[in-house]
Amino acid sequence: EDQVTQSPEALRLQEGESSSLNCSYTVSGLRGLFWYRQDPGKGPEFLFTLYSAGEEKEKERLKATLTKKESFLHITAPKPEDSATYLCAAFNSGGYQKVTFGIGTKLQVIP
Amino acid sequence: SQTIHQWPATLVQPVGSPLSLECTVEGTSNPNLYWYRQAAGRGLQLLFYSVGIGQISSEVPQNLSASRPQDRQFILSSKKLLLSDSGFYLCAWKTGTGGNIQYFGAGTRLSVL
């Protein structure tokens, strides 16, 4: 069974305190991996797609990396506005693109 | 540019009542469309997907159904709601030709009482 596991479930950081979120996956026919940001009561907002081990993507204070078994979302010098739930999702190479989502990491950045 | 609209934002319905949630996409043709449900403490669960008008596939047997009457319209329905149907429902689309990114609507919070 395809599975995506995110850790930690919740993370509380002081403003400026860098950290990383982890996503491990077991997906048959893996094509790539998404990172999304979700604010409370809103739909997920796309951040990154990663396709191959060693790939990195950056956007402002966020950098996503991918290995053969895991992905990391590094947050450098976070600000309170980075507070959100970050979702990791793996997608396959099948016809309709099955996406398996993790539960997410709820990040709180304290001023 | 492409946009996705989903309504209503919130809905409170009694057990046994019908349901209709609507999703429309603008600025693209022949998108792949998806309905997900997000429950607290669980990842997004795919309910239905559609690759074209009238083509619906179900991932999970349940009390819900979906229809795609027009190219960019996707509807989630139920004849009789159950308490267990409560949750956060999300519609998503991706381009039907190449591309992998799924873009989500704002979601509908459904409470069945």
Side-chain angles (χ1 to χ4, degrees), chain A residues 31 34 36 38 41-44 46 49 51 87 91 95-99 101-103, chain B residues 34 36 38 41-44 46 49 59 88 90 94 99-106:
Chain A
R31 175 70 182 94
F34 297 127
Y36 287 88
Q38 186 175 23
K42 302 286 181 62
F46 171 76
T49 310
Y51 291 99
L87 301 175
F91 61 98
Y96 79 89
Q97 189 196 66
K98 177 183 176 182
V99 182
F101 283 85
I103 294 175
Chain B
Y34 305 83
Y36 289 88
Q38 187 175 34
R42 300 183 63 182
L44 273 72
L46 180 64
Y49 67 92
E59 278 292 295
F88 191 51
L90 289 157
K94 83 168 190 76
N100 295 299
I101 303 167
Q102 290 191 15
Y103 298 95
F104 286 84

mmCIF file of all heavy atoms in Angstrom, chain A residues 31 34 36 38 41-44 46 49 51 87 91 95-99 101-103, chain B residues 34 36 38 41-44 46 49 59 88 90 94 99-106:
data_model
loop_
_atom_site.group_PDB
_atom_site.id
_atom_site.type_symbol
_atom_site.label_atom_id
_atom_site.label_comp_id
_atom_site.label_asym_id
_atom_site.label_seq_id
_atom_site.Cartn_x
_atom_site.Cartn_y
_atom_site.Cartn_z
ATOM 1 N N ARG A 31 6.354 8.935 -9.548
ATOM 2 C CA ARG A 31 6.744 9.855 -10.612
ATOM 3 C C ARG A 31 7.367 11.118 -10.011
ATOM 4 O O ARG A 31 8.304 11.661 -10.577
ATOM 5 C CB ARG A 31 5.516 10.241 -11.428
ATOM 6 C CG ARG A 31 5.784 11.293 -12.511
ATOM 7 C CD ARG A 31 6.624 10.729 -13.632
ATOM 8 N NE ARG A 31 6.899 11.761 -14.621
ATOM 9 C CZ ARG A 31 7.993 12.502 -14.611
ATOM 10 N NH1 ARG A 31 8.903 12.351 -13.654
ATOM 11 N NH2 ARG A 31 8.185 13.406 -15.556
ATOM 12 N N PHE A 34 5.087 16.327 -4.362
ATOM 13 C CA PHE A 34 4.643 17.707 -4.201
ATOM 14 C C PHE A 34 4.855 18.159 -2.762
ATOM 15 O O PHE A 34 4.758 17.359 -1.827
ATOM 16 C CB PHE A 34 3.140 17.840 -4.460
ATOM 17 C CG PHE A 34 2.669 17.507 -5.839
ATOM 18 C CD1 PHE A 34 1.648 16.596 -6.029
ATOM 19 C CD2 PHE A 34 3.199 18.141 -6.955
ATOM 20 C CE1 PHE A 34 1.159 16.300 -7.294
ATOM 21 C CE2 PHE A 34 2.734 17.850 -8.231
ATOM 22 C CZ PHE A 34 1.712 16.928 -8.391
ATOM 23 N N TYR A 36 2.880 21.226 -0.526
ATOM 24 C CA TYR A 36 1.828 22.235 -0.505
ATOM 25 C C TYR A 36 1.840 22.926 0.843
ATOM 26 O O TYR A 36 2.208 22.327 1.866
ATOM 27 C CB TYR A 36 0.442 21.609 -0.676
ATOM 28 C CG TYR A 36 0.094 21.114 -2.059
ATOM 29 C CD1 TYR A 36 0.419 19.824 -2.462
ATOM 30 C CD2 TYR A 36 -0.597 21.925 -2.953
ATOM 31 C CE1 TYR A 36 0.074 19.367 -3.722
ATOM 32 C CE2 TYR A 36 -0.959 21.475 -4.216
ATOM 33 C CZ TYR A 36 -0.611 20.190 -4.603
ATOM 34 O OH TYR A 36 -0.956 19.738 -5.845
ATOM 35 N N GLN A 38 -0.940 24.749 3.467
ATOM 36 C CA GLN A 38 -2.374 24.884 3.697
ATOM 37 C C GLN A 38 -2.608 25.750 4.924
ATOM 38 O O GLN A 38 -2.174 25.409 6.029
ATOM 39 C CB GLN A 38 -3.045 23.514 3.873
ATOM 40 C CG GLN A 38 -4.555 23.608 3.958
ATOM 41 C CD GLN A 38 -5.242 22.254 4.003
ATOM 42 O OE1 GLN A 38 -4.642 21.257 4.384
ATOM 43 N NE2 GLN A 38 -6.514 22.212 3.601
ATOM 44 N N GLY A 41 -8.667 26.320 7.189
ATOM 45 C CA GLY A 41 -9.918 26.550 6.488
ATOM 46 C C GLY A 41 -9.775 26.860 5.006
ATOM 47 O O GLY A 41 -10.753 27.260 4.366
ATOM 48 N N LYS A 42 -8.571 26.664 4.456
ATOM 49 C CA LYS A 42 -8.338 26.970 3.044
ATOM 50 C C LYS A 42 -7.867 25.709 2.302
ATOM 51 O O LYS A 42 -7.469 24.721 2.904
ATOM 52 C CB LYS A 42 -7.254 28.060 2.917
ATOM 53 C CG LYS A 42 -7.570 29.353 3.636
ATOM 54 C CD LYS A 42 -8.620 30.135 2.914
ATOM 55 C CE LYS A 42 -8.939 31.446 3.592
ATOM 56 N NZ LYS A 42 -7.784 32.364 3.651
ATOM 57 N N GLY A 43 -7.893 25.778 0.971
ATOM 58 C CA GLY A 43 -7.361 24.692 0.181
ATOM 59 C C GLY A 43 -5.843 24.740 0.125
ATOM 60 O O GLY A 43 -5.238 25.786 0.338
ATOM 61 N N PRO A 44 -5.200 23.615 -0.136
ATOM 62 C CA PRO A 44 -3.731 23.591 -0.247
ATOM 63 C C PRO A 44 -3.249 24.477 -1.390
ATOM 64 O O PRO A 44 -3.862 24.514 -2.461
ATOM 65 C CB PRO A 44 -3.432 22.119 -0.516
ATOM 66 C CG PRO A 44 -4.596 21.370 0.029
ATOM 67 C CD PRO A 44 -5.772 22.256 -0.219
ATOM 68 N N PHE A 46 -0.042 25.187 -3.876
ATOM 69 C CA PHE A 46 1.130 24.506 -4.412
ATOM 70 C C PHE A 46 2.411 25.276 -4.121
ATOM 71 O O PHE A 46 2.477 26.500 -4.262
ATOM 72 C CB PHE A 46 0.972 24.322 -5.921
ATOM 73 C CG PHE A 46 2.213 23.834 -6.598
ATOM 74 C CD1 PHE A 46 2.597 22.504 -6.491
ATOM 75 C CD2 PHE A 46 3.010 24.697 -7.333
ATOM 76 C CE1 PHE A 46 3.746 22.049 -7.106
ATOM 77 C CE2 PHE A 46 4.163 24.258 -7.949
ATOM 78 C CZ PHE A 46 4.534 22.934 -7.834
ATOM 79 N N THR A 49 7.338 20.952 -6.931
ATOM 80 C CA THR A 49 7.344 19.585 -7.421
ATOM 81 C C THR A 49 8.792 19.137 -7.531
ATOM 82 O O THR A 49 9.645 19.869 -8.033
ATOM 83 C CB THR A 49 6.706 19.468 -8.818
ATOM 84 O OG1 THR A 49 5.445 20.112 -8.835
ATOM 85 C CG2 THR A 49 6.544 18.003 -9.197
ATOM 86 N N TYR A 51 11.217 15.721 -8.798
ATOM 87 C CA TYR A 51 11.096 14.517 -9.609
ATOM 88 C C TYR A 51 12.187 13.484 -9.365
ATOM 89 O O TYR A 51 11.950 12.283 -9.523
ATOM 90 C CB TYR A 51 11.096 14.874 -11.090
ATOM 91 C CG TYR A 51 9.858 15.603 -11.551
ATOM 92 C CD1 TYR A 51 9.837 16.979 -11.693
ATOM 93 C CD2 TYR A 51 8.690 14.894 -11.832
ATOM 94 C CE1 TYR A 51 8.693 17.635 -12.122
ATOM 95 C CE2 TYR A 51 7.538 15.548 -12.255
ATOM 96 C CZ TYR A 51 7.551 16.918 -12.402
ATOM 97 O OH TYR A 51 6.418 17.558 -12.825
ATOM 98 N N LEU A 87 1.989 20.169 3.593
ATOM 99 C CA LEU A 87 1.616 18.839 3.142
ATOM 100 C C LEU A 87 2.602 18.324 2.118
ATOM 101 O O LEU A 87 3.014 19.051 1.209
ATOM 102 C CB LEU A 87 0.224 18.862 2.492
ATOM 103 C CG LEU A 87 -0.942 19.342 3.335
ATOM 104 C CD1 LEU A 87 -2.217 19.408 2.498
ATOM 105 C CD2 LEU A 87 -1.153 18.443 4.531
ATOM 106 N N PHE A 91 3.105 11.333 -6.110
ATOM 107 C CA PHE A 91 2.213 10.972 -7.204
ATOM 108 C C PHE A 91 2.881 9.948 -8.116
ATOM 109 O O PHE A 91 4.102 9.908 -8.252
ATOM 110 C CB PHE A 91 1.732 12.200 -7.987
ATOM 111 C CG PHE A 91 2.814 13.010 -8.650
ATOM 112 C CD1 PHE A 91 3.104 12.827 -9.992
ATOM 113 C CD2 PHE A 91 3.501 13.983 -7.935
ATOM 114 C CE1 PHE A 91 4.083 13.587 -10.605
ATOM 115 C CE2 PHE A 91 4.484 14.746 -8.544
ATOM 116 C CZ PHE A 91 4.769 14.547 -9.877
ATOM 117 N N GLY A 95 -2.196 6.554 -15.321
ATOM 118 C CA GLY A 95 -3.011 7.344 -16.234
ATOM 119 C C GLY A 95 -3.696 8.540 -15.608
ATOM 120 O O GLY A 95 -3.723 9.621 -16.184
ATOM 121 N N TYR A 96 -4.261 8.376 -14.425
ATOM 122 C CA TYR A 96 -5.015 9.492 -13.837
ATOM 123 C C TYR A 96 -4.254 10.200 -12.744
ATOM 124 O O TYR A 96 -4.767 11.104 -12.122
ATOM 125 C CB TYR A 96 -6.361 8.994 -13.292
ATOM 126 C CG TYR A 96 -6.274 8.307 -11.953
ATOM 127 C CD1 TYR A 96 -6.380 9.026 -10.775
ATOM 128 C CD2 TYR A 96 -6.107 6.929 -11.864
ATOM 129 C CE1 TYR A 96 -6.316 8.395 -9.544
ATOM 130 C CE2 TYR A 96 -6.045 6.305 -10.642
ATOM 131 C CZ TYR A 96 -6.147 7.032 -9.493
ATOM 132 O OH TYR A 96 -6.085 6.406 -8.283
ATOM 133 N N GLN A 97 -3.041 9.851 -12.527
ATOM 134 C CA GLN A 97 -2.182 10.477 -11.520
ATOM 135 C C GLN A 97 -2.747 10.311 -10.108
ATOM 136 O O GLN A 97 -3.369 11.232 -9.560
ATOM 137 C CB GLN A 97 -1.961 11.966 -11.797
ATOM 138 C CG GLN A 97 -0.898 12.567 -10.877
ATOM 139 C CD GLN A 97 -0.935 14.075 -10.854
ATOM 140 O OE1 GLN A 97 -1.895 14.662 -10.393
ATOM 141 N NE2 GLN A 97 0.107 14.693 -11.369
ATOM 142 N N LYS A 98 -2.546 9.188 -9.512
ATOM 143 C CA LYS A 98 -2.921 8.972 -8.126
ATOM 144 C C LYS A 98 -1.936 9.725 -7.232
ATOM 145 O O LYS A 98 -0.727 9.613 -7.375
ATOM 146 C CB LYS A 98 -2.872 7.490 -7.787
ATOM 147 C CG LYS A 98 -3.185 7.187 -6.328
ATOM 148 C CD LYS A 98 -3.050 5.711 -6.042
ATOM 149 C CE LYS A 98 -3.271 5.434 -4.560
ATOM 150 N NZ LYS A 98 -3.086 3.993 -4.252
ATOM 151 N N VAL A 99 -2.499 10.511 -6.296
ATOM 152 C CA VAL A 99 -1.668 11.284 -5.371
ATOM 153 C C VAL A 99 -1.925 10.781 -3.960
ATOM 154 O O VAL A 99 -3.078 10.708 -3.520
ATOM 155 C CB VAL A 99 -1.989 12.788 -5.447
ATOM 156 C CG1 VAL A 99 -1.075 13.577 -4.524
ATOM 157 C CG2 VAL A 99 -1.842 13.285 -6.874
ATOM 158 N N PHE A 101 -1.295 11.617 -0.083
ATOM 159 C CA PHE A 101 -0.934 12.731 0.785
ATOM 160 C C PHE A 101 -0.526 12.254 2.164
ATOM 161 O O PHE A 101 -1.077 11.286 2.705
ATOM 162 C CB PHE A 101 -2.130 13.680 0.949
ATOM 163 C CG PHE A 101 -2.366 14.573 -0.219
ATOM 164 C CD1 PHE A 101 -3.108 14.147 -1.306
ATOM 165 C CD2 PHE A 101 -1.847 15.862 -0.239
ATOM 166 C CE1 PHE A 101 -3.328 14.962 -2.394
ATOM 167 C CE2 PHE A 101 -2.064 16.695 -1.321
ATOM 168 C CZ PHE A 101 -2.796 16.245 -2.397
ATOM 169 N N GLY A 102 0.424 12.976 2.755
ATOM 170 C CA GLY A 102 0.703 12.814 4.164
ATOM 171 C C GLY A 102 -0.293 13.633 4.982
ATOM 172 O O GLY A 102 -1.083 14.421 4.431
ATOM 173 N N ILE A 103 -0.245 13.430 6.299
ATOM 174 C CA ILE A 103 -1.160 14.150 7.196
ATOM 175 C C ILE A 103 -0.762 15.613 7.331
ATOM 176 O O ILE A 103 -1.596 16.474 7.577
ATOM 177 C CB ILE A 103 -1.190 13.473 8.572
ATOM 178 C CG1 ILE A 103 -1.809 12.085 8.448
ATOM 179 C CG2 ILE A 103 -1.958 14.306 9.581
ATOM 180 C CD1 ILE A 103 -1.769 11.298 9.729
ATOM 181 N N TYR B 34 -10.868 16.494 -9.717
ATOM 182 C CA TYR B 34 -10.782 15.606 -8.560
ATOM 183 C C TYR B 34 -11.656 16.141 -7.425
ATOM 184 O O TYR B 34 -11.749 17.356 -7.205
ATOM 185 C CB TYR B 34 -9.336 15.518 -8.044
ATOM 186 C CG TYR B 34 -8.313 15.107 -9.086
ATOM 187 C CD1 TYR B 34 -7.779 16.038 -9.957
ATOM 188 C CD2 TYR B 34 -7.879 13.783 -9.173
ATOM 189 C CE1 TYR B 34 -6.841 15.668 -10.915
ATOM 190 C CE2 TYR B 34 -6.937 13.406 -10.124
ATOM 191 C CZ TYR B 34 -6.427 14.345 -10.992
ATOM 192 O OH TYR B 34 -5.498 13.972 -11.934
ATOM 193 N N TYR B 36 -11.701 15.539 -3.249
ATOM 194 C CA TYR B 36 -11.039 14.970 -2.084
ATOM 195 C C TYR B 36 -11.858 15.295 -0.834
ATOM 196 O O TYR B 36 -12.588 16.281 -0.783
ATOM 197 C CB TYR B 36 -9.650 15.578 -1.873
ATOM 198 C CG TYR B 36 -8.594 15.187 -2.873
ATOM 199 C CD1 TYR B 36 -8.420 15.909 -4.048
ATOM 200 C CD2 TYR B 36 -7.736 14.119 -2.621
ATOM 201 C CE1 TYR B 36 -7.418 15.567 -4.954
ATOM 202 C CE2 TYR B 36 -6.732 13.768 -3.520
ATOM 203 C CZ TYR B 36 -6.580 14.497 -4.676
ATOM 204 O OH TYR B 36 -5.590 14.161 -5.570
ATOM 205 N N GLN B 38 -10.983 15.814 3.362
ATOM 206 C CA GLN B 38 -9.915 15.935 4.357
ATOM 207 C C GLN B 38 -10.545 15.857 5.736
ATOM 208 O O GLN B 38 -11.329 16.716 6.109
ATOM 209 C CB GLN B 38 -9.161 17.253 4.178
ATOM 210 C CG GLN B 38 -7.935 17.381 5.050
ATOM 211 C CD GLN B 38 -7.169 18.660 4.744
ATOM 212 O OE1 GLN B 38 -7.753 19.687 4.404
ATOM 213 N NE2 GLN B 38 -5.846 18.616 4.854
ATOM 214 N N GLY B 41 -6.668 14.910 11.253
ATOM 215 C CA GLY B 41 -5.722 13.857 11.575
ATOM 216 C C GLY B 41 -5.499 12.843 10.468
ATOM 217 O O GLY B 41 -4.819 11.840 10.673
ATOM 218 N N ARG B 42 -6.063 13.111 9.311
ATOM 219 C CA ARG B 42 -5.896 12.191 8.184
ATOM 220 C C ARG B 42 -5.487 12.975 6.951
ATOM 221 O O ARG B 42 -5.809 14.147 6.792
ATOM 222 C CB ARG B 42 -7.185 11.433 7.910
ATOM 223 C CG ARG B 42 -7.659 10.590 9.076
ATOM 224 C CD ARG B 42 -8.909 9.813 8.726
ATOM 225 N NE ARG B 42 -8.661 8.854 7.649
ATOM 226 C CZ ARG B 42 -9.614 8.079 7.133
ATOM 227 N NH1 ARG B 42 -10.840 8.151 7.579
ATOM 228 N NH2 ARG B 42 -9.344 7.232 6.172
ATOM 229 N N GLY B 43 -4.795 12.320 6.057
ATOM 230 C CA GLY B 43 -4.415 12.950 4.799
ATOM 231 C C GLY B 43 -5.614 13.101 3.884
ATOM 232 O O GLY B 43 -6.669 12.525 4.112
ATOM 233 N N LEU B 44 -5.447 13.880 2.843
ATOM 234 C CA LEU B 44 -6.513 14.031 1.865
ATOM 235 C C LEU B 44 -6.836 12.678 1.243
ATOM 236 O O LEU B 44 -5.947 11.941 0.817
ATOM 237 C CB LEU B 44 -6.095 14.992 0.754
ATOM 238 C CG LEU B 44 -6.340 16.469 0.995
ATOM 239 C CD1 LEU B 44 -5.389 17.026 2.024
ATOM 240 C CD2 LEU B 44 -6.228 17.231 -0.321
ATOM 241 N N LEU B 46 -8.790 10.772 -1.771
ATOM 242 C CA LEU B 46 -9.415 10.948 -3.075
ATOM 243 C C LEU B 46 -10.756 10.227 -3.104
ATOM 244 O O LEU B 46 -10.860 9.048 -2.774
ATOM 245 C CB LEU B 46 -8.513 10.406 -4.175
ATOM 246 C CG LEU B 46 -9.055 10.520 -5.599
ATOM 247 C CD1 LEU B 46 -9.217 11.980 -6.003
ATOM 248 C CD2 LEU B 46 -8.143 9.782 -6.566
ATOM 249 N N TYR B 49 -12.493 11.070 -9.457
ATOM 250 C CA TYR B 49 -11.734 11.828 -10.435
ATOM 251 C C TYR B 49 -12.399 11.680 -11.794
ATOM 252 O O TYR B 49 -13.135 10.718 -12.038
ATOM 253 C CB TYR B 49 -10.267 11.410 -10.482
ATOM 254 C CG TYR B 49 -10.006 10.016 -10.992
ATOM 255 C CD1 TYR B 49 -9.747 9.776 -12.336
ATOM 256 C CD2 TYR B 49 -9.980 8.939 -10.113
ATOM 257 C CE1 TYR B 49 -9.502 8.498 -12.795
ATOM 258 C CE2 TYR B 49 -9.738 7.656 -10.559
ATOM 259 C CZ TYR B 49 -9.489 7.445 -11.894
ATOM 260 O OH TYR B 49 -9.239 6.177 -12.358
ATOM 261 N N GLU B 59 -12.925 6.225 -6.142
ATOM 262 C CA GLU B 59 -11.845 5.555 -5.429
ATOM 263 C C GLU B 59 -12.342 4.809 -4.205
ATOM 264 O O GLU B 59 -11.762 3.812 -3.815
ATOM 265 C CB GLU B 59 -10.790 6.578 -4.989
ATOM 266 C CG GLU B 59 -9.811 6.937 -6.083
ATOM 267 C CD GLU B 59 -8.903 5.785 -6.444
ATOM 268 O OE1 GLU B 59 -8.107 5.360 -5.587
ATOM 269 O OE2 GLU B 59 -9.001 5.288 -7.574
ATOM 270 N N PHE B 88 -14.129 18.264 5.346
ATOM 271 C CA PHE B 88 -13.697 19.376 4.488
ATOM 272 C C PHE B 88 -13.496 18.808 3.094
ATOM 273 O O PHE B 88 -12.652 17.933 2.886
ATOM 274 C CB PHE B 88 -12.403 19.961 5.062
ATOM 275 C CG PHE B 88 -11.990 21.260 4.452
ATOM 276 C CD1 PHE B 88 -12.877 22.326 4.341
ATOM 277 C CD2 PHE B 88 -10.692 21.445 4.009
ATOM 278 C CE1 PHE B 88 -12.492 23.531 3.794
ATOM 279 C CE2 PHE B 88 -10.293 22.663 3.454
ATOM 280 C CZ PHE B 88 -11.185 23.709 3.348
ATOM 281 N N LEU B 90 -12.631 19.156 -0.879
ATOM 282 C CA LEU B 90 -11.774 19.946 -1.765
ATOM 283 C C LEU B 90 -11.889 19.461 -3.199
ATOM 284 O O LEU B 90 -11.841 18.261 -3.468
ATOM 285 C CB LEU B 90 -10.316 19.839 -1.319
ATOM 286 C CG LEU B 90 -9.968 20.552 -0.012
ATOM 287 C CD1 LEU B 90 -8.730 19.953 0.611
ATOM 288 C CD2 LEU B 90 -9.784 22.037 -0.255
ATOM 289 N N LYS B 94 -6.116 19.533 -12.734
ATOM 290 C CA LYS B 94 -4.800 19.613 -13.349
ATOM 291 C C LYS B 94 -5.012 19.588 -14.865
ATOM 292 O O LYS B 94 -6.050 19.144 -15.353
ATOM 293 C CB LYS B 94 -3.877 18.493 -12.901
ATOM 294 C CG LYS B 94 -4.020 17.167 -13.612
ATOM 295 C CD LYS B 94 -2.839 16.268 -13.246
ATOM 296 C CE LYS B 94 -2.816 15.027 -14.126
ATOM 297 N NZ LYS B 94 -2.313 15.373 -15.495
ATOM 298 N N GLY B 99 1.775 17.995 -17.660
ATOM 299 C CA GLY B 99 1.667 18.689 -16.386
ATOM 300 C C GLY B 99 1.248 17.743 -15.285
ATOM 301 O O GLY B 99 0.521 16.782 -15.532
ATOM 302 N N ASN B 100 1.714 17.985 -14.088
ATOM 303 C CA ASN B 100 1.400 17.104 -12.975
ATOM 304 C C ASN B 100 0.744 17.810 -11.796
ATOM 305 O O ASN B 100 0.135 17.172 -10.959
ATOM 306 C CB ASN B 100 2.683 16.434 -12.464
ATOM 307 C CG ASN B 100 3.294 15.516 -13.490
ATOM 308 O OD1 ASN B 100 2.663 14.546 -13.895
ATOM 309 N ND2 ASN B 100 4.488 15.826 -13.931
ATOM 310 N N ILE B 101 0.860 19.119 -11.724
ATOM 311 C CA ILE B 101 0.447 19.844 -10.528
ATOM 312 C C ILE B 101 -1.070 19.855 -10.422
ATOM 313 O O ILE B 101 -1.767 20.188 -11.377
ATOM 314 C CB ILE B 101 0.973 21.284 -10.549
ATOM 315 C CG1 ILE B 101 2.494 21.285 -10.681
ATOM 316 C CG2 ILE B 101 0.536 22.023 -9.285
ATOM 317 C CD1 ILE B 101 3.057 22.651 -11.019
ATOM 318 N N GLN B 102 -1.575 19.501 -9.237
ATOM 319 C CA GLN B 102 -2.992 19.636 -8.941
ATOM 320 C C GLN B 102 -3.194 20.939 -8.174
ATOM 321 O O GLN B 102 -2.517 21.203 -7.184
ATOM 322 C CB GLN B 102 -3.486 18.448 -8.116
ATOM 323 C CG GLN B 102 -3.536 17.153 -8.908
ATOM 324 C CD GLN B 102 -4.257 16.041 -8.182
ATOM 325 O OE1 GLN B 102 -4.966 16.244 -7.213
ATOM 326 N NE2 GLN B 102 -4.080 14.814 -8.674
ATOM 327 N N TYR B 103 -4.154 21.734 -8.644
ATOM 328 C CA TYR B 103 -4.473 23.016 -8.017
ATOM 329 C C TYR B 103 -5.828 22.886 -7.323
ATOM 330 O O TYR B 103 -6.783 22.382 -7.918
ATOM 331 C CB TYR B 103 -4.523 24.132 -9.058
ATOM 332 C CG TYR B 103 -3.205 24.358 -9.753
ATOM 333 C CD1 TYR B 103 -2.931 23.753 -10.976
ATOM 334 C CD2 TYR B 103 -2.226 25.172 -9.182
ATOM 335 C CE1 TYR B 103 -1.720 23.956 -11.617
ATOM 336 C CE2 TYR B 103 -1.010 25.382 -9.820
ATOM 337 C CZ TYR B 103 -0.764 24.766 -11.029
ATOM 338 O OH TYR B 103 0.437 24.966 -11.656
ATOM 339 N N PHE B 104 -5.879 23.383 -6.103
ATOM 340 C CA PHE B 104 -7.050 23.165 -5.265
ATOM 341 C C PHE B 104 -7.933 24.404 -5.152
ATOM 342 O O PHE B 104 -7.458 25.543 -5.200
ATOM 343 C CB PHE B 104 -6.611 22.748 -3.859
ATOM 344 C CG PHE B 104 -6.101 21.342 -3.784
ATOM 345 C CD1 PHE B 104 -4.793 21.044 -4.103
ATOM 346 C CD2 PHE B 104 -6.950 20.312 -3.415
ATOM 347 C CE1 PHE B 104 -4.326 19.733 -4.044
ATOM 348 C CE2 PHE B 104 -6.496 19.002 -3.347
ATOM 349 C CZ PHE B 104 -5.180 18.716 -3.665
ATOM 350 N N GLY B 105 -9.228 24.132 -4.958
ATOM 351 C CA GLY B 105 -10.158 25.182 -4.616
ATOM 352 C C GLY B 105 -10.067 25.508 -3.136
ATOM 353 O O GLY B 105 -9.269 24.918 -2.404
ATOM 354 N N ALA B 106 -10.921 26.435 -2.707
ATOM 355 C CA ALA B 106 -10.873 26.918 -1.323
ATOM 356 C C ALA B 106 -11.514 25.938 -0.341
ATOM 357 O O ALA B 106 -11.309 26.060 0.866
ATOM 358 C CB ALA B 106 -11.560 28.274 -1.226
#
